[in-house]
Amino acid sequence: MIAESSTVILARVSSKAQEDEGYSLDAQLKLLRDYCAKNSLLIIKEFKIAETASKEYQRKVFHEMLSYIGKEAIFHLAVEKTDRFTRNFRDAVAIDEWLEQDDRRQLHAVKENLTLHKNAKSDVKFMWNIHISVAKKYADNLREESMKGWAEKLAQGWSPAQPPPGYILATENGKRIHIPDPLTKDLIVRAYKKYLEPGMTIKGMVKELKDMGIKSSRGHYYCKSSVQTILSNTYYIGIISFNGKAYPGSQEQIIPRDLFERVQEKMHAGRPKVSVRHHSALQSLIRCEDCGSVVTWQLQKGHYYGVCRRLTPECKLGKMLREDRIEEMVITEMKKLVCPSPAIIDWVIEEINAQHGQIVEEKENIASNAQEELKRVSRMDDNLYDDKLSGLISNERYEVKHEQFMIEKASIEDQLSKIDSEINERMEQRLSILELTQKAAEIYSRKAPEQKRLIISKLFSSLTIKSGQLSVKYSKFVLAISNRVQKTTNLLEV
């Protein structure tokens, strides 16, 4: 029979960074074992999750632990602190239910000096809820920042995921990008061509890729479904598919589009064809000035023609719009942004840099004030600790106030961490738009429809059509840059 001192301990490190910061499994286990020995708790089983474990494996071990303490006569669960245990309310509810079933059961968060059980005081339960909320906020913020990073990377034309075979990771101007792999890119092209040979099947291509020596990042040869994924991956023609959406990519295309289309045609012969369709570069971008509806496009006799919903008499009298002629108007608007003098552009860049310096100075003042506030909160927290040691306040009161100070400090530190990145991001965005205004008219015609759409969206906030004539409104950044160029030009003329 297992004694009422029976204990399970859980040690977890969520990332390599935490391992480097001293939150190693060995350190956690030593802390928990010492705690159990000091409090006469008998360790029955230890659950460990290393920093190298996948998210699926971490969840698996965690649920094994929950199942074990639920089925066995375990009365104590010891963890280093709350966020080593869980960062979501669902797991917290599971532990609450476990505790409610027997008043002998206890959860020990050692570093937080918290012991939770069915009959724990309201202050203890309050602290538990605060720790769970802080842990969840950390997890939510981590996910939010990751998604923000992914969105920015996709906007710049780069995939946040690992590249497919034929590409490798590289660093350019401090950024991680994907470039063709000199060792495998030609093999991928050969694989596409090989598949088009008479009698070749996906099953046959499994052997072909194996004979070529093409392996996954983990060193495994590709199975049938993986080979099919390679042969239908739009990444090779410059389109990133991520979370069910398509984005124009900045990576170099290693498969010609016509070759890609022929492979899709063969692969999906006899069933609905799944291939990259040519959409108008102007799809969903132009509105009718008369009725306000979006112009839709359809292919007729080799050309795309656009038409609104014809909701007004003026619309009904209008002719259909030919895509290539509207695109000529778009290019004409782009040409208006080109400055005839490179020297003026250089001066505008200098002015942007000077303005950037002023913003940096202002932000430094904000950062200085935030640092002072951070010191003030730290002093108050130190004084609070002294009051606890002197017996002026209870441990429970100390924990409540200390947690409030920690949340306040975390908020200030978060504000400080974003200051520089926000400034640099704004600076890079302005310089990028400035460069695009000078090159867009020249490069637009050579780009794929998806990339044309991206150029248009960066330069114009709206495009409207009336009686076959295009009107545009520049985006906020482009308008500011255009006004600055014009102002500099006028000063030089004077």
Side-chain angles (χ1 to χ4, degrees):
M1 181 177 177
I2 300 178
E4 288 191 16
S5 62
S6 59
T7 305
V8 161
I9 64 176
L10 172 67
R12 169 159 58 185
V13 176
S14 302
S15 69
K16 187 68 177 71
Q18 289 171 339
E19 172 79 14
D20 295 338
E21 291 167 6
Y23 293 99
S24 68
L25 287 176
D26 289 341
Q28 285 188 46
L29 289 170
K30 183 178 185 305
L31 173 75
L32 295 172
R33 288 167 184 164
D34 290 347
Y35 175 84
C36 291
K38 192 178 297 184
N39 292 274
S40 302
L41 299 177
L42 177 64
I43 299 175
I44 304 300
K45 192 174 180 66
E46 296 178 351
F47 287 87
K48 296 171 283 188
I49 305 175
E51 79 283 346
T52 52
S54 66
K55 184 179 291 185
E56 291 76 15
Y57 181 74
Q58 289 190 36
R59 296 299 302 168
K60 178 184 176 184
V61 174
F62 183 81
H63 285 294
E64 284 177 359
M65 185 272 295
L66 285 179
S67 176
Y68 183 83
I69 65 174
K71 292 178 181 177
E72 303 296 331
I74 302 298
F75 296 102
H76 300 270
L77 172 61
V79 296
E80 183 195 42
K81 53 184 180 178
T82 304
D83 70 356
R84 298 296 93 215
F85 165 67
T86 182
R87 288 177 181 166
N88 64 71
F89 295 127
R90 183 177 64 254
D91 295 340
V93 168
I95 287 298
D96 283 337
E97 290 176 351
W98 176 73
L99 294 171
E100 286 295 320
Q101 290 169 8
D102 194 321
D103 57 13
R104 293 173 295 177
R105 293 176 176 178
Q106 297 184 0
L107 170 69
H108 304 264
V110 176
K111 279 194 173 180
E112 294 162 345
N113 193 27
L114 184 147
T115 302
L116 184 69
H117 51 84
K118 181 178 180 179
N119 300 315
K121 291 182 179 180
S122 59
D123 282 350
V124 176
K125 293 181 178 180
F126 176 63
M127 285 308 306
W128 161 250
N129 290 329
I130 286 180
H131 289 312
I132 290 292
S133 298
V134 171
K136 187 176 187 304
K137 179 188 181 300
Y138 174 82
D140 290 345
N141 184 67
L142 197 63
R143 181 175 182 273
E144 183 181 317
E145 292 301 317
S146 295
M147 292 179 69
K148 192 186 299 181
W150 294 343
E152 177 58 28
K153 198 162 189 178
L154 288 166
Q156 295 177 9
W158 301 109
S159 172
Q162 286 291 320
Y167 291 88
I168 55 173
L169 286 168
T171 302
E172 183 180 276
N173 298 326
K175 295 180 180 179
R176 298 283 279 174
I177 64 171
H178 299 166
I179 63 172
D181 183 353
L183 299 178
T184 61
K185 68 173 184 177
D186 293 335
L187 296 177
I188 295 297
V189 177
R190 192 200 307 174
Y192 267 75
K193 292 179 179 179
K194 188 73 177 177
Y195 178 69
L196 291 177
E197 292 181 1
M200 181 55 69
T201 62
I202 295 293
K203 186 176 180 180
M205 287 304 301
V206 172
K207 182 179 182 303
E208 289 294 333
L209 263 66
K210 186 175 182 179
D211 292 343
M212 293 179 191
I214 299 176
K215 298 180 180 180
S216 71
S217 58
R218 296 185 177 182
H220 301 145
Y221 289 110
Y222 288 101
C223 62
K224 185 177 176 181
S225 61
S226 298
V227 170
Q228 190 165 6
T229 299
I230 291 172
L231 292 175
S232 58
N233 195 338
T234 59
Y235 197 87
Y236 295 117
I237 58 171
I239 299 172
I240 301 170
S241 296
F242 190 81
N243 282 347
K245 295 182 180 180
Y247 301 86
S250 298
Q251 73 275 15
E252 182 182 333
Q253 302 176 28
I254 62 176
I255 300 295
R257 195 180 188 92
D258 62 334
L259 173 60
F260 184 87
E261 290 287 358
R262 283 187 286 131
V263 167
Q264 307 318 301
E265 202 169 318
K266 177 178 178 179
M267 194 183 303
H268 301 285
R271 54 196 169 107
K273 181 181 174 183
V274 180
S275 62
V276 180
R277 298 173 58 193
H278 173 78
H279 292 295
S280 167
L282 304 176
Q283 185 179 5
S284 303
L285 291 179
I286 298 180
R287 287 186 176 273
C288 172
E289 198 168 314
D290 289 318
C291 69
S293 66
V294 175
V295 174
T296 56
W297 303 84
Q298 53 186 287
L299 187 62
Q300 294 182 9
K301 297 180 181 180
H303 292 286
Y304 268 91
Y305 288 87
V307 65
C308 68
R309 293 176 62 190
R310 298 187 181 275
L311 300 177
T312 68
E314 292 81 3
C315 299
K316 293 174 182 177
L317 294 174
K319 295 180 180 180
M320 294 187 75
L321 312 167
R322 227 172 87 167
E323 178 193 42
D324 54 350
R325 292 171 185 167
I326 300 300
E327 284 194 305
E328 288 175 5
M329 298 179 192
V330 171
I331 293 173
T332 299
E333 294 296 333
M334 291 176 177
K335 287 179 178 177
K336 294 177 182 179
L337 295 170
V338 178
C339 179
S341 171
I344 291 177
I345 295 299
D346 291 340
W347 285 325
V348 171
I349 292 174
E350 287 181 11
E351 189 176 340
I352 291 175
N353 286 328
Q355 190 178 33
H356 177 255
Q358 293 174 359
I359 295 172
V360 168
E361 188 175 341
E362 292 173 7
K363 292 288 186 180
E364 284 175 353
N365 292 333
I366 295 173
S368 177
N369 293 335
Q371 289 285 5
E372 289 301 318
E373 182 66 12
L374 193 61
K375 290 177 183 177
R376 184 186 68 81
V377 174
S378 296
R379 285 196 302 270
M380 292 174 68
D381 191 39
D382 291 340
N383 293 336
L384 182 73
Y385 183 71
D386 291 339
D387 289 345
K388 186 188 83 164
L389 293 179
S390 303
L392 297 176
I393 59 173
S394 65
N395 285 341
E396 290 79 7
R397 179 62 177 167
Y398 168 76
E399 291 294 342
V400 172
K401 293 298 294 182
H402 173 67
E403 195 65 39
Q404 290 175 353
F405 287 142
M406 289 301 98
I407 293 172
E408 192 172 349
K409 284 177 69 175
S411 175
I412 297 170
E413 287 168 351
D414 182 56
Q415 179 188 353
L416 283 168
S417 67
K418 291 179 179 178
I419 289 176
D420 289 337
S421 61
E422 287 176 355
I423 297 173
N424 294 333
E425 182 180 342
R426 190 173 171 187
M427 174 72 168
E428 289 176 7
Q429 188 176 18
R430 288 187 173 183
L431 292 176
S432 174
I433 294 293
L434 176 59
E435 182 182 6
L436 183 61
T437 60
Q438 303 307 298
K439 292 183 177 180
E442 178 188 348
I443 65 175
Y444 179 84
S445 300
R446 303 197 300 266
K447 296 297 182 180
E450 297 84 1
Q451 293 167 321
K452 288 180 177 180
R453 288 171 54 78
L454 188 60
I455 292 172
I456 291 173
S457 66
K458 285 184 177 293
L459 295 183
F460 307 111
S461 61
S462 70
L463 296 89
T464 57
I465 202 83
K466 183 178 177 67
S467 302
Q469 293 302 310
L470 183 72
S471 298
V472 304
K473 287 184 179 179
Y474 295 129
S475 66
K476 182 178 67 174
F477 282 117
V478 172
L479 188 61
I481 288 168
S482 179
N483 290 338
R484 189 166 292 161
V485 169
Q486 187 60 51
K487 182 179 176 181
T488 307
T489 303
N490 293 341
L491 287 173
L492 289 174
E493 288 176 352
V494 172

